[in-house]
Amino acid sequence: MLTAGHVLQLIRQGTCRTRKELIDYTGLSRSTVTDRVDRLIEAGYIREADKGASGGGRPPSVLALDSTARVVLVADLGAGHARVALTDLAARPQAEESESMRIDRGPEEVLAWVLQAFERLLDRTGRTREQVCGVGLDLPGSVDHTSGKVLRSFLMPGWDDLPIKAAFGARFDVPILVENDAKAMALGEWWAAYRHSPSLLLVKVSTGIGAGIVLDGRIYRGVEEGAGNIGHVRLRESDDRVCTCGSKGCVASLASGHAVAKDLGQKSSRDVVRLVQAGDPQAIARTQEAGRTLGLVLATAVSLLNPGVLVLAGDMAETREHYLTGIRESVYRHSLPYTTRNLEIVTSGLGGRAGVIGTAVMVTEHVLSPESVDASLG
């Protein structure tokens, strides 16, 4: 028996748009479909939109997700930035706020800012806490998606094993989801522009290097939540440069924004971007070299996954073709032609908003899942 939660999925997906279509598609009785639909309308999950085409009698009401009845609060935290957003159930931001903030300032200070920013977004949009149906947070480290704890991060001292869900649960009695930042960004890019593609690989290059994989519309996390830890693949163990993980020769120590900045005598990846955009020849050459170095690892990833889209995101994506050119050179040179024949290699289309969009999608998919909807309806 299809539950109300399953009926909602049919409506969200556009499979069925009217009560009659639901009856014909599911084989459920008219009274059962009416009961399911009425409960979903009463709970604010769907609404009756425009009238559909008439078959000769009274035009049927078209059913659609009510994306504005509830809202989601999300936060995207990087090594040096914090961005929060309030979105509707279509993952569309209704209000946003960002701040330059180093995550190594510690969880107490950073999470306090996030909670205060959430309250400001609610006030700004006239929304109440009761209308919040989910909270999401993405972080630059490996996280336990089930418990919401940070498993390990070389950029976040003091965050390991922190019960992040508890920090937000005291303020919001709703599902609270935590994800790695690159994984959330990958989902955001897929949702925004590449839902036609069954597989997408995103590599984020800023202070460090991380990757996110989306397969058939779902984040691939790996058995130990470690999928995408591409920055710590060792390329040159004889190299003297020590990575943040303590090893030598990791691709992050050679090709990350921090590594390029250090070689150029700069403080951060943002400084590298400014130099490249100003046309500095040394910065451009070093950026392209870094792209070629990372491309060696990505060529292996492309051969293993055969993705439809490879997205460059993070600060170094703002160098546009310069870092991307290096990646393309190595990927095409070291991959079999048929694995790259239909591969799109592009820079992020969402830019700094990829994390909040992806996190919002993750939360809405959870709260609108059949299991969550049926539990909410009791």
Side-chain angles (χ1 to χ4, degrees):
M1 179 71 72
L2 292 177
T3 66
H6 292 109
V7 168
L8 175 61
Q9 303 313 306
L10 296 174
I11 295 170
R12 284 185 70 202
Q13 295 160 5
T15 305
C16 300
R17 300 174 66 246
T18 66
R19 288 173 172 82
K20 184 179 186 307
E21 288 179 2
L22 283 167
I23 293 168
D24 294 341
Y25 185 86
T26 64
L28 297 175
S29 68
R30 181 178 298 276
S31 61
T32 300
V33 167
T34 297
D35 172 70
R36 302 280 192 272
V37 169
D38 287 349
R39 291 173 67 201
L40 289 169
I41 291 175
E42 184 178 354
Y45 284 106
I46 62 175
R47 59 185 175 83
E48 295 184 281
D50 300 331
K51 298 294 184 180
S54 172
R58 179 181 171 184
S61 297
V62 175
L63 303 171
L65 173 71
D66 190 346
S67 61
T68 62
R70 295 171 171 82
V71 296
V72 169
L73 291 169
V74 294
D76 165 49
L77 303 180
H81 79 270
R83 182 188 292 266
V84 293
L86 180 149
T87 79
D88 63 14
L89 291 185
R92 294 176 298 218
Q94 307 299 298
E96 297 177 70
E97 186 174 325
S98 61
E99 181 81 19
S100 294
M101 181 179 297
R102 292 194 58 82
I103 202 163
D104 59 13
R105 287 160 67 170
E108 184 174 341
E109 183 175 348
V110 174
L111 295 183
W113 180 87
V114 171
L115 284 167
Q116 291 165 8
F118 281 169
E119 296 294 344
R120 290 193 292 271
L121 294 180
L122 289 171
D123 289 342
R124 194 183 312 162
T125 56
R127 297 290 194 159
T128 65
R129 287 192 195 178
E130 289 70 31
Q131 290 175 303
V132 176
C133 64
V135 172
L137 185 76
D138 73 70
L139 301 155
S142 297
V143 303
D144 184 329
H145 184 70
T146 303
S147 69
K149 292 183 178 181
V150 177
L151 295 177
R152 65 193 71 85
S153 176
F154 307 111
L155 300 175
M156 301 167 57
W159 288 76
D160 287 4
D161 295 323
L162 182 76
I164 294 175
K165 283 188 177 183
F168 288 93
R171 194 81 62 93
F172 299 98
D173 185 21
V174 295
I176 298 164
L177 304 183
V178 184
E179 188 54 271
N180 165 264
D181 60 347
K183 292 181 176 67
M185 293 169 71
L187 184 61
E189 293 287 344
W190 177 84
W191 178 267
Y194 300 105
R195 277 184 260 183
H196 63 277
S197 177
S199 58
L200 176 146
L201 171 63
L202 176 141
V203 58
K204 177 190 177 185
V205 186
S206 292
T207 302
I209 298 176
I213 304 164
V214 175
L215 300 176
D216 295 325
R218 294 180 178 274
I219 295 172
Y220 178 72
R221 299 184 175 89
V223 176
E224 300 295 340
E225 305 273 354
N229 244 324
I230 201 168
H232 300 291
V233 173
R234 297 184 193 178
L235 287 180
R236 307 172 193 162
E237 293 194 28
S238 60
D239 197 286
D240 290 335
R241 282 171 284 196
V242 179
C243 183
T244 54
C245 70
S247 298
K248 292 183 178 181
C250 292
V251 67
S253 69
L254 305 171
S256 67
H258 174 74
V260 176
K262 188 175 180 181
D263 288 348
L264 294 172
Q266 302 295 317
K267 291 183 178 180
S268 71
S269 54
R270 299 300 310 165
D271 296 324
V272 175
V273 171
R274 282 190 283 271
L275 285 175
V276 171
Q277 290 178 345
D280 183 280
Q282 186 181 5
I284 290 172
R286 180 64 183 89
T287 295
Q288 290 177 343
E289 178 193 357
R292 286 191 291 271
T293 300
L294 177 57
L296 292 173
V297 178
L298 292 177
T300 300
V302 166
S303 296
L304 285 171
L305 295 172
N306 190 204
V309 187
L310 171 57
V311 182
L312 171 65
D315 289 344
M316 297 304 287
E318 295 183 34
T319 65
R320 295 301 171 189
E321 289 301 313
H322 296 297
Y323 200 101
L324 202 66
T325 294
I327 288 177
R328 284 193 177 117
E329 284 182 20
S330 291
V331 168
Y332 289 130
R333 182 180 302 163
H334 297 283
S335 303
L336 289 171
Y338 77 90
T339 63
T340 57
R341 185 167 52 213
N342 295 307
L343 174 65
E344 294 183 68
I345 304 180
V346 298
T347 54
S348 167
L350 293 176
R353 304 176 84 198
V356 293
I357 299 296
T359 303
V361 171
M362 176 182 67
V363 175
T364 55
E365 289 297 301
H366 175 82
V367 300
L368 294 178
S369 67
E371 297 79 14
S372 295
V373 171
D374 292 332
S376 174
L377 295 175

